[in-house]
Amino acid sequence: MIDKSFESPSAAVADIFDGASVMIGGFGTAGMPDDLIDALIARGVGNLTIINNNAGNGETGLAALIKAGRVKKIICSFPRQTDSHHFDARYRAGEIELELVPQGNLAARIQAAGAGLGAIFTPTGFGTALAEGKETRRIDGKDHVLEYPIHADFALIKAHKGDRWGNLIYRKTARNFGPIMAMAAKTSIVQVSEIVPLGALDPETIVTPGIFVQRVVETGAQASTAA
Amino acid sequence: MNRLSRDQIAARVAKDIPEGAYVNLGIGLPTKVANFLPVDRDILLQSENGLLGMGPAPAPGEEDWELINAGKQAVTLLTGGAYFHHADSFAMMRGGHIDICVLGAFQVSVKGDLANWHTGDPSAIPAVGGAMDLAVGAKQTFVMMELLTKEGESKLVERCSYPLTGLACVSRVYTDLAVFDVGPNGASVVEMVDGLTLDELRRMTGVALTA
């Protein structure tokens, strides 16, 4: 019997190792899997490479992981915000490496990893500092930049409801990077407000089919706070 | 000279957005355009974090922090609106499905090059977000900005000195003093505020302008 449900966030993240690459869903705090991150902080491993759109907001989630000094490198599109003080401090102290990626290239590179593509040609960034040194090609009269997939050992994702096969639906704009990160990581770990029986999710509206998900943990409903 | 306020620039941009348009408004100044869209037109706003059919801010106390816009402000969804994941969102933006995007800028060149993500200050932490994708992917990219910096330097320039966001991507520039078309043939003046002459505008900007 396939049962991907785990009893607790700490059990679900128990094999995340020192130096792992970890995708974290969320755009600001919407979709940020706070319970899984709290469990990861409690686990104590560090030297992590984190892939997220931002670099932490406020005091919770990714911001707390950065504050705890567990992040060696972050791959993101928009680190600097009014409430990114924990990242800002570590970055200015030279304690965290930043790879800045245009947001659409970040999404496309994650999706390419999940889809088994060797690389993509994207028009985004051509002629800018973020494409310096990269291979380019003119295709149909338009200039493109060669970009490689972003893989990860783990993904930590927040979804709305899931079942024991790992099928997921999301809630509003908390969906954001969840579906493509679930595809791209070797082990995708999802916190949901509720694990429902098989068949309770309408197959016509399942957003992430369970094949992309390895672990589901029910953490109850909780409201995101302002970013 | 009758300089436009920021709200008046936003209203001027909104006037040029046609019925049926799919539009992305960049964070900052361009979000004001939403307040001036004609109510008799069906115009759908897209937000990069995964919604199409974005509605106005909710009443205080009604915020749902899982329903936000690119600027991470609480918003609402119009009836008929949709949610989607990030790869689909940027397929809309990069794939030419967005009719118009409106972005702020540090500088725009007369050829339509855009600089709006980084001042080049080595002590600044860079952030790019979706600006580079929008700049190259929308059918038309509009810029709205004040024409001059606080120091009086023109932000419409022959060549951008700040790091570029995209090459030859902007078609029209809305400012507090004039509206310009930019592109392969350089900059031309679409309209000016009352009391301003073409000669004065040329002197202020220091770039070649056709009428």
Side-chain angles (χ1 to χ4, degrees):
Chain A
M1 184 180 89
I2 295 177
D3 184 0
K4 299 179 181 178
S5 58
F6 273 60
E7 62 188 24
S8 68
S10 57
V13 304
D15 58 351
I16 296 184
F17 51 88
D18 203 76
S21 54
V22 183
M23 293 178 170
I24 297 180
F27 182 92
T29 57
M32 181 66 66
D34 286 348
D35 296 300
L36 294 175
I37 294 171
D38 286 346
L40 179 59
I41 292 169
R43 188 170 149 61
V45 292
N47 295 310
L48 302 171
T49 294
I50 299 296
I51 300 102
N52 179 261
N53 185 59
N54 302 107
N57 298 81
E59 301 298 325
T60 58
L62 176 53
L65 191 66
I66 291 169
K67 182 183 181 185
R70 308 297 168 73
V71 180
K72 177 184 69 175
K73 176 181 178 180
I74 188 152
I75 303 173
C76 73
S77 85
F78 210 79
R80 185 198 63 230
Q81 297 175 95
T82 53
D83 57 356
S84 61
H85 42 272
H86 289 305
F87 168 80
D88 297 357
R90 296 260 175 203
Y91 180 78
R92 291 193 193 287
E95 294 168 358
I96 195 164
E97 184 187 342
L98 170 65
E99 180 181 341
L100 191 69
V101 180
Q103 195 172 157
N105 285 357
L106 185 65
R109 292 173 62 188
I110 292 167
Q111 191 180 39
L117 300 177
I120 55 164
F121 277 106
T122 170
T124 302
F126 179 85
T128 75
L130 297 187
E132 258 170 33
K134 293 181 175 173
E135 192 175 334
T136 62
R137 186 175 299 184
R138 177 162 283 208
I139 302 169
D140 284 341
K142 192 167 181 178
D143 291 309
H144 292 73
V145 182
L146 182 69
E147 294 281 3
Y148 292 97
I150 299 174
H151 296 273
D153 298 310
F154 298 92
L156 305 182
I157 293 163
K158 181 183 183 184
H160 182 40
K161 292 181 181 177
D163 61 30
R164 67 176 169 86
W165 283 3
N167 296 307
L168 304 175
I169 61 169
Y170 299 82
R171 188 170 175 278
K172 302 187 179 181
T173 58
R175 182 183 308 192
N176 57 68
F177 284 90
I180 54 174
M181 287 181 170
M183 296 167 66
K186 286 191 199 114
T187 301
S188 294
I189 307 166
V190 185
Q191 69 170 73
V192 296
S193 59
E194 187 184 0
I195 294 180
V196 298
L198 282 187
L201 299 176
D202 177 356
E204 296 284 6
T205 62
I206 287 172
V207 176
T208 294
I211 192 169
F212 296 127
V213 172
Q214 282 67 48
R215 299 172 192 169
V216 184
V217 60
E218 183 177 294
T219 58
Q222 57 209 279
S224 291
T225 51
Chain B
M1 172 168 62
N2 196 8
R3 190 184 294 262
L4 301 186
S5 69
R6 291 178 157 203
D7 277 350
Q8 286 172 316
I9 306 173
R12 178 63 189 83
V13 174
K15 212 171 81 176
D16 284 354
I17 297 180
E19 163 71 22
Y22 292 97
V23 177
N24 183 299
L25 302 176
I27 59 176
L29 197 54
T31 57
K32 283 181 174 288
V33 173
N35 302 333
F36 298 97
L37 293 172
V39 290
D40 59 339
R41 293 182 201 164
D42 264 347
I43 292 169
L44 283 181
L45 297 180
Q46 192 256 14
S47 188
E48 68 188 16
N49 56 315
L51 74 162
L52 185 62
M54 181 168 65
E62 299 290 305
E63 296 92 350
D64 178 340
W65 294 105
E66 291 190 333
L67 177 43
I68 59 172
N69 65 11
K72 304 187 174 72
Q73 300 157 313
V75 294
T76 53
L77 190 74
L78 301 180
T79 300
Y83 302 117
F84 34 85
H85 64 63
H86 245 80
D88 281 354
S89 186
F90 279 81
M92 291 177 197
M93 293 157 67
R94 195 194 309 107
H97 307 283
I98 300 290
D99 295 300
I100 295 168
C101 82
V102 185
L103 297 173
F106 296 138
Q107 289 176 328
V108 183
S109 84
V110 295
K111 301 285 189 196
D113 296 345
L114 172 66
N116 78 346
W117 71 282
H118 193 14
T119 60
D121 175 355
S123 71
I125 298 173
V128 64
M132 289 187 180
D133 304 278
L134 273 172
V136 301
K139 286 183 194 155
Q140 294 185 82
T141 298
F142 294 168
V143 158
M144 72 182 274
M145 63 182 191
E146 274 136 2
L147 182 59
L148 306 177
T149 66
K150 288 192 185 77
E151 292 73 34
E153 288 176 8
S154 177
K155 293 156 79 172
L156 179 68
V157 293
E158 286 292 338
R159 287 175 63 92
C160 296
S161 57
Y162 288 157
L164 289 176
T165 305
L167 294 169
C169 52
V170 178
S171 57
R172 183 164 272 203
V173 183
Y174 296 84
T175 75
D176 50 342
L177 294 171
V179 178
F180 306 90
D181 279 335
V182 294
N185 300 319
S188 60
V189 179
V190 177
E191 63 192 45
M192 290 178 285
V193 297
D194 291 342
L196 183 64
T197 67
L198 189 57
D199 278 346
E200 282 176 292
L201 197 55
R202 284 177 171 139
R203 187 178 48 75
M204 281 177 182
T205 59
V207 301
L209 295 172
T210 55

